[in-house]
């Protein structure tokens, strides 16, 4: 969904002129401060009953501006002296300097976002912002969790939770302090990091999230910055975290490590000897169903070693689509990569899976497979190929790799089903294990 600003910016000059001419002087003065009009979708709070809103984003994705504007929306009323939903807000950052220089006085901080008639004043002796309507926001450091004992609040903005030095202790004390009003809320703006406090927060049913990569805010970033950081970090763990805003969560005992996946990064792709598209259909139907895992992989002979090497080319997985929708995505991936075969797991849908695929493309070469062993037993020999350095990854597989880092010998340590990993395993099994004379998993071909 595009913001009003995006619609106006892309409209013809005549439309823009009519829009601005339709505003009176007061409306034109107010327009720069109407964040709902200018905001990207990820910068606006989700609807519904929630306690914590987590904004996960890459560097420069507009997280700070979103947090500052959320505080404004909580403390300001319809008119300058009217009270808002919140009267006492906690501003918590890594250090007090970070709170002052980024959250309050920064280019995207609260003071920069506030209109003149609602501008709060900074009271340095109290480490506090005071609005004309009497609302207050007090600054706290994550180095000193005990400072949150005693004060109480009806709202909080927590910035860069993923890098707080005493994250769990500070967050717990903040929760005890959020006890004023009918429904106190918190906004968390952070670049994702693999820390326990953030992971546990995201798993709570009272938490909602929005997400955006760095490019979402590219209009306000130097183009040379984007080109440089993408060239250096695209496809790496740091790139997934700092640019794509994806939480790469590696658990103990994972079959794939972050280091293993970083080592699997490929540069220019060679011409493939064979390409397959593997699909793991969802068990349910509609928006609430698991994703349909769709992974494209190819294989070539490594002349130097005299062995076969596989390349994972694309994660084309989709979610929230019915059978015709995901089948269309499979067929489009097969056409895009000129695939030799589609490998489809049929445990969930039986003959229906092949029927749906052939309804979309009657000539699609489909191999239906039925797993007689568990997910982990099927995944282990594929993980061994990664350990041997015989599988490489193209760029753009961040969500797939995030699932891979949660697959352990004890099962999948994540929410939902590892649909993308299941599809990956079927693809590599077809290319490297079934076809090259190595130990073949127990698979029944239908």
């Amino acid at each position: 969904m595009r913001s009003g600003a995006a619609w106006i910016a892309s409209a013809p000059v005549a439309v823009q002129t009519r829009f601005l001419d339709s505003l009176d002087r007061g409306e034109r003065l107010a327009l720069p401060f109407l964040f709902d009009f200018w905001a990207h979708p990820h910068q606006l709070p989700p609807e519904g009953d929630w306690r914590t809103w987590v904004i996960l984003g890459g560097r420069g994705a507009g997280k700070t501006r979103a947090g500052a504007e959320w505080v404004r929306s909580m403390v300001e009323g319809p008119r300058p002296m009217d009270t808002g939903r919140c009267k006492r807000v906690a501003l918590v950052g890594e250090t007090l300097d970070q709170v002052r220089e980024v959250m309050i006085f920064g280019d995207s901080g609260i003071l920069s976002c506030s209109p003149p008639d609602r501008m709060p004043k900074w009271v340095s002796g109290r480490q506090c912002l005071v609005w004309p309507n009497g609302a207050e926001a007090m600054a706290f450091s994550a180095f000193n969790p005990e400072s949150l004992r005693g004060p109480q609040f009806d709202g909080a903005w927590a910035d860069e939770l993923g890098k707080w030095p005493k994250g769990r202790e500070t967050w717990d004390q903040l929760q005890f302090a959020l006890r004023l009003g009918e429904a106190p809320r918190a906004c968390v703006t952070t670049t994702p990091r693999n820390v326990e406090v953030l992971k546990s927060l995201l798993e709570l049913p009272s938490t909602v999230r929005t997400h955006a990569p760095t490019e979402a805010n590219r209009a306000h970033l130097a183009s040379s910055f984007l080109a440089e950081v993408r060239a250096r970090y695209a496809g790496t763990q740091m790139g997934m975290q700092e640019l794509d805003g994806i939480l790469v969560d590696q658990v103990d005992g994972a079959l794939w490590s972050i280091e293993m996946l970083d080592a699997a990064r490929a540069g220019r792709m060679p011409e493939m000897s064979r390409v397959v598209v593997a699909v793991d259909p969802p068990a349910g139907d509609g928006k609430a169903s698991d994703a349909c895992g769709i992974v494209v992989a190819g294989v070539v002979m490594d002349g130097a070693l005299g062995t076969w090497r596989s390349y994972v080319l694309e994660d084309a997985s989709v979610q929230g689509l019915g059978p015709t929708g995901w089948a269309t995505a499979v067929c489009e991936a097969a056409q895009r990569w000129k695939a030799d075969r589609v490998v489809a797991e049929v445990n969930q849908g039986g003959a229906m899976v092949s029927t749906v695929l052939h309804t979309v493309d009657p000539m699609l070469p489909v191999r239906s497979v039925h797993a007689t062993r568990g997910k982990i037993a099927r995944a282990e020999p594929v993980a061994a190929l990664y350990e041997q350095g015989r599988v490489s990854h193209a760029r753009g597989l961040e969500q797939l790799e995030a699932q891979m880092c949660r697959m352990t010998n004890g099962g999948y340590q994540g929410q939902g089903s590892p649909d993308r990993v299941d599809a990956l395993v079927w693809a590599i099994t077809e290319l490297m294990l079934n076809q090259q004379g190595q130990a073949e998993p127990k698979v029944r071909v239908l």
Side-chain angles (χ1 to χ4, degrees):
M1 183 180 74
R2 297 196 303 171
S3 67
W7 181 82
I8 291 295
S10 61
V13 174
V15 175
Q16 297 174 348
T17 302
R18 283 199 302 272
F19 170 74
L20 294 174
D21 288 345
S22 70
L23 305 178
D24 60 32
R25 182 174 182 276
E27 290 171 334
R28 285 195 294 271
L29 290 174
L31 186 60
F33 302 102
L34 299 178
F35 191 59
D36 285 357
F37 181 82
W38 299 105
H40 298 296
H42 73 276
Q43 294 178 307
L44 296 175
E47 297 180 355
D49 183 18
W50 49 265
R51 179 175 173 85
T52 307
W53 169 31
V54 179
I55 308 174
L56 296 175
R59 297 283 189 94
K63 303 184 298 297
T64 302
R65 177 67 184 272
E69 294 285 1
W70 180 80
V71 171
R72 277 193 58 208
S73 72
M74 291 293 100
V75 301
E76 293 179 4
R79 293 173 297 184
M81 300 304 294
D82 291 344
T83 58
R85 173 171 175 162
C86 294
K87 296 180 180 179
R88 291 182 60 83
V89 177
L91 304 176
V92 189
E94 181 183 7
T95 65
L96 285 175
D97 284 345
Q98 289 282 337
V99 176
R100 286 193 301 266
E101 300 305 317
V102 177
M103 301 171 72
I104 296 174
F105 288 95
D107 292 340
S108 299
I110 293 171
L111 294 180
S112 296
C113 299
S114 298
D117 60 347
R118 299 158 192 260
M119 183 73 68
K121 293 183 179 180
W122 173 245
V123 182
S124 59
R126 297 180 58 209
Q127 298 289 294
C128 179
L129 277 176
V130 180
W131 273 265
N133 64 5
E136 295 183 347
M138 302 191 68
F140 296 90
S141 165
F143 272 95
N144 186 13
E146 293 299 307
S147 63
L148 285 161
R149 286 184 179 271
Q152 52 186 356
F153 306 98
D154 47 16
W157 173 21
D159 189 48
E160 293 297 351
L161 173 63
K163 62 193 291 279
W164 283 4
K166 297 180 180 180
R168 171 49 67 190
E169 298 95 325
T170 305
W171 182 255
D172 286 344
Q173 291 301 329
L174 179 60
Q175 298 314 295
F176 287 119
L178 279 172
R179 56 180 184 262
L180 291 181
E182 295 183 0
R185 285 180 164 182
C187 173
V188 176
T189 52
T190 187
T191 301
R193 288 195 175 186
N194 187 19
V195 294
E196 185 274 334
V197 62
L198 178 58
K199 292 188 293 184
S200 61
L201 174 61
L202 290 171
E203 291 175 356
L204 292 175
S206 59
T207 298
V208 295
R209 75 172 82 179
T210 57
H211 163 266
T214 297
E215 280 83 355
N217 201 34
R218 66 186 312 143
H220 302 284
L221 302 171
S223 58
S224 59
F225 161 76
L226 286 173
E228 180 68 15
V229 294
R230 276 297 174 193
R232 288 187 178 216
Y233 304 112
T236 67
Q237 177 196 356
M238 182 174 289
M240 285 188 279
Q241 173 180 289
E242 303 293 332
L243 300 178
D244 298 306
I246 294 175
L247 178 61
V248 183
D249 182 10
Q250 179 177 312
V251 298
D252 292 339
L255 297 179
W256 288 273
S257 68
I258 293 171
E259 294 74 19
M260 187 188 303
L261 295 176
D262 279 345
R265 310 291 174 206
R268 185 175 181 179
M269 293 292 171
E271 184 176 350
M272 300 295 151
S273 303
R274 187 165 181 260
V275 174
V276 300
V277 177
V279 54
D280 177 49
D285 191 6
K287 294 183 179 180
S289 67
D290 292 327
C292 175
I294 306 171
V295 170
V296 184
V299 67
V300 297
M301 171 66 79
D302 189 326
L305 299 176
T307 58
W308 292 95
R309 183 178 190 84
S310 189
Y311 293 81
V312 183
L313 304 173
E314 182 186 1
D315 175 10
S317 302
V318 294
Q319 187 165 13
L321 302 180
T324 301
W326 59 253
T328 299
V330 172
C331 294
E332 289 175 348
Q335 294 170 4
R336 191 160 55 246
W337 290 96
K338 297 180 173 59
D340 298 280
R341 185 180 297 276
V342 170
V343 180
E345 180 181 332
V346 297
N347 285 50
Q348 300 292 347
M352 181 274 292
V353 174
S354 180
T355 300
V356 171
L357 289 169
H358 283 135
T359 298
V360 177
D361 183 353
M363 303 304 294
L364 190 71
V366 178
R367 182 183 188 215
S368 299
V369 290
H370 189 287
T372 58
R373 300 175 70 185
K375 296 178 186 293
I376 302 305
R378 300 198 307 274
E380 285 176 337
V382 173
L385 292 173
Y386 279 81
E387 292 178 350
Q388 297 165 16
R390 297 180 60 192
V391 183
S392 295
H393 277 203
R395 294 180 176 181
L397 304 175
E398 291 83 5
Q399 291 181 294
L400 167 63
E401 291 173 355
Q403 280 194 358
M404 294 170 73
C405 289
R406 296 189 69 88
M407 288 288 289
T408 74
N409 290 320
Y412 180 60
Q413 305 300 312
Q415 294 183 334
S417 174
D419 320 275
R420 301 168 193 267
V421 179
D422 286 344
L424 167 78
V425 168
W426 285 118
I428 303 302
T429 297
E430 172 72 14
L431 292 170
M432 298 286 285
L433 300 179
N434 286 358
Q435 304 300 317
Q436 306 306 327
Q438 299 189 37
E440 182 172 337
K442 295 180 180 177
V443 175
R444 184 171 75 251
V445 181
L446 302 180

